[in-house]
Amino acid sequence: MLAEFDLIRRYFTLPTHDVHQQGVALGIGDDAALLNPQPGRQLVVSVDTSVVDVHFPGDAPAEAIGHRALAVALSDLAAMGATSRWCVMALTLDQSQFADDNAADAWLSGYARGFATLAGRHATTLVGGDVTSGLLSIAVTVMGDVPNATALTRSGARPGDVIAVTGALGGGAGGLALWQQGERDSAHPLLERYLWPTPRLAAGEALREWATAAIDISDGLLADLGHLREASGVGARLSLEALPLAEGLEQALGPEAARQATLTGGDDYELLVTLPSAHVEKARQQLAMSGVPLHVIGECSDIPGVHGLSVQRYHGWQHFKGETP
Amino acid sequence: MLAEFDLIRRYFTLPTHDVHQQGVALGIGDDAALLNPQPGRQLVVSVDTSVVDVHFPGDAPAEAIGHRALAVALSDLAAMGATSRWCVMALTLDQSQFADDNAADAWLSGYARGFATLAGRHATTLVGGDVTSGLLSIAVTVMGDVPNATALTRSGARPGDVIAVTGALGGGAGGLALWQQGERDSAHPLLERYLWPTPRLAAGEALREWATAAIDISDGLLADLGHLREASGVGARLSLEALPLAEGLEQALGPEAARQATLTGGDDYELLVTLPSAHVEKARQQLAMSGVPLHVIGECSDIPGVHGLSVQRYHGWQHFKGETP
């Protein structure tokens, strides 16, 4: 194995476009990075850890592991409506997973490619890294910014606001189920959703203008809606029929399990937002320009908990019915 | 075990003094933190991972583990001359290490206390966390700031500059050796150096005015001097007799191994700086006010490599003698 310094230099000081280096006075290679925050903007900072066989399968493609570790962290910036700018990565490598140096090189090259490609897509510069030995695990700290006092939080929802989600739901859980059943065709839309999630950064930035609250769906719709309800002090009425199902989900799991996956499945990394109904059309049009659909799935109420006409049919629902807001 | 949200809420949203909340618009509890950078200052960012039985012994006191995980990260800010402001922590917990919930509570309380006490001492606010399951490991991202274009880097040393170190050397390696021999009295000065390292933040800030380059000594004096020499393009002449030995080091290891520990031992977290000789007295006086000694140990030269009158006697030296600058 390469020593830490060589490893960081070789795989992670990738050429970045000039546009990505904006705001970076000093990148990887010194004791710390030096960054130039923009006046009039607040920093937005979050950290996410991905642990092998907890958050991703160890035999997933290295490129997907690199992509995914960054994507799940960026999703938190999207949920704040932030523009992503910089990240640092703490990579813990299990050296025993590599048969030899060639295998290590292939894995690291793929991992770095997956990470860097997604970073480049969102103008995010890797400004620091730390590589250690242990169980395979990646902690990514992402840093973005928003104009002062415009960030979307979980706490702004008001009774009467519409509840909406970007994209489609259940794909993360569906993809995981397929992977566990042995499916390995990464072109399968559900596997793609699970292994290569898309952080909704452009949608989050656009929604800053219209939304009253936002959260990303990483733990499942009902769980994350619960966090938003609790922070905002509202209840919710959901229309199950309106939940957008991920492509291929019903065929793969059947209608009941598919519905279940949209409600309680994790790993979707879509945005759940609330907004005044008068803003829905404008928001929808603006998101459509970047190819992201916005689906109204319910509305906020002043009655605690979650309610819905046909929700009771589904397993998992009972866990949430009695929940305090 | 507690669920993640409860765990973060319970142990890591500790009361912080008002002074620590300066610049924090939104702390732990949403998708990301919102921070207000100060105009005219650059952000300084670094990440460090501490893995059980690689970077610290798993049976060390929980409080020391929390302290140490943050201290080693803060040391990188000190080496840039930065003021520490915020941090985020990715904690991976090995649940099997706890016999029961009481044991988990005791460990987490101690860990959080060690972390928070050091954070408070340096006006550093924990603004985000992620708790996952796996092998015990902590990745801490620290964020500080410096007035624009005043940060200390590794690359500013010039031939003729004096080489100096803060505090004393070899204590980290000496403490580790004692720990491995079964010493458990945390009042022993060497164990204290190893388990409770002091990030030299005040010294780093003071040295901004005088030093031309800086790095923290985490990998050992000769290795870290090598990074500084390489970045600055200078050689170095060292005076071994001038190396300040940590208290109790010679008694614990004997004179030869003690000298060896000062040269190649890691985990000291002192600052290694270069500065024009005309500035040494002023710098020394200023550091003395915060109780940190500054020792001149050599000077930079335009002859590549490291030279010194009596260095050749010591094992380890040969590894470095032939090194290109």
Side-chain angles (χ1 to χ4, degrees), chain A residues 222 260 311-323:
Chain A
L222 287 176
Q260 181 70 29
V311 165
Q312 284 73 358
R313 286 193 284 135
Y314 295 96
H315 303 303
W317 173 243
Q318 295 303 326
H319 302 298
F320 296 90
K321 198 183 175 191
E323 193 192 18

Side-chain angles (χ1 to χ4, degrees), chain A residues 5 25 29-36 42-46 48-49 55 76 79 90 130 132 141 153-154 214 216 219 227, chain B residues 5 25 29-36 42-46 48-49 55 76 79 90 130 132 141 153-154 214 216 219 227:
Chain A
F5 306 104
D30 213 294
D31 294 294
L34 284 175
L35 309 173
N36 297 321
Q42 290 179 301
L43 267 184
V44 187
V45 179
S46 182
D48 253 308
T49 312
H55 300 95
D76 286 314
D130 188 23
T132 49
T141 300
T153 68
R154 301 176 177 179
D216 70 318
D219 297 328
H227 301 314
Chain B
F5 307 105
D30 214 294
D31 294 294
L34 284 176
L35 309 173
N36 296 321
Q42 291 179 302
L43 267 183
V44 187
V45 180
S46 182
D48 253 307
T49 312
H55 301 95
D76 286 314
D130 188 26
T132 50
T141 300
T153 67
R154 300 176 177 180
D216 70 317
D219 297 327
H227 301 314

Side-chain angles (χ1 to χ4, degrees), chain B residues 55-309:
Chain B
H55 301 95
F56 62 88
D59 55 348
E63 217 167 325
I65 294 173
H67 169 101
R68 207 174 182 289
L70 177 58
V72 302
L74 288 175
S75 181
D76 286 314
L77 295 187
M80 304 294 284
T83 307
S84 175
R85 306 205 67 202
W86 310 297
C87 65
V88 298
M89 175 198 69
L91 170 62
T92 303
L93 275 180
D94 183 356
Q95 306 198 20
S96 73
Q97 77 175 92
F98 304 122
D100 54 29
D101 283 358
N102 286 342
D105 176 66
W107 194 93
L108 280 162
S109 300
Y111 172 89
R113 197 164 50 242
F115 195 102
T117 302
L118 183 66
R121 199 175 296 157
H122 295 289
T124 302
T125 311
L126 181 70
V127 296
D130 188 26
V131 180
T132 50
S133 288
L135 199 64
L136 178 62
S137 162
I138 309 124
V140 178
T141 300
V142 286
M143 289 161 279
D145 59 13
V146 286
N148 285 346
T150 66
L152 292 170
T153 67
R154 300 176 177 180
S155 57
R158 297 292 165 257
D161 282 353
V162 154
I163 301 171
V165 293
T166 60
L169 299 176
L176 173 58
L178 284 191
W179 182 273
Q180 286 169 337
Q181 291 161 24
E183 176 66 57
R184 287 297 180 273
D185 174 10
S186 355
H188 192 293
L190 290 177
L191 277 200
E192 200 181 313
R193 293 277 306 186
Y194 175 62
L195 292 175
W196 302 86
T198 302
R200 296 297 193 190
L201 284 155
E205 287 186 65
L207 285 164
R208 246 184 13 233
E209 195 175 345
W210 313 110
T212 52
I215 188 170
D216 70 317
I217 303 178
S218 53
D219 297 327
L221 173 63
L222 287 177
D224 290 309
L225 176 60
H227 301 314
L228 188 147
R229 286 191 297 107
E230 189 185 359
S232 294
V234 296
R237 189 162 43 241
L238 286 188
S239 163
L240 282 197
E241 287 68 24
L243 295 182
L245 270 69
E247 184 190 344
L249 189 64
E250 255 186 322
Q251 297 90 309
L253 303 189
E256 286 294 310
R259 191 64 73 184
Q260 181 69 31
T262 62
L263 285 170
T264 61
D267 295 322
D268 278 334
Y269 302 102
E270 296 291 355
L271 297 183
L272 172 69
V273 296
T274 59
L275 65 173
S277 58
H279 290 170
V280 171
E281 262 322 296
K282 291 249 166 117
R284 207 194 310 253
Q285 281 167 23
Q286 208 174 331
L287 264 60
M289 289 192 295
S290 44
V292 179
L294 185 71
H295 298 276
V296 171
I297 61 167
E299 66 176 32
C300 299
S301 75
D302 48 15
I303 304 164
V306 179
H307 305 266
L309 278 180

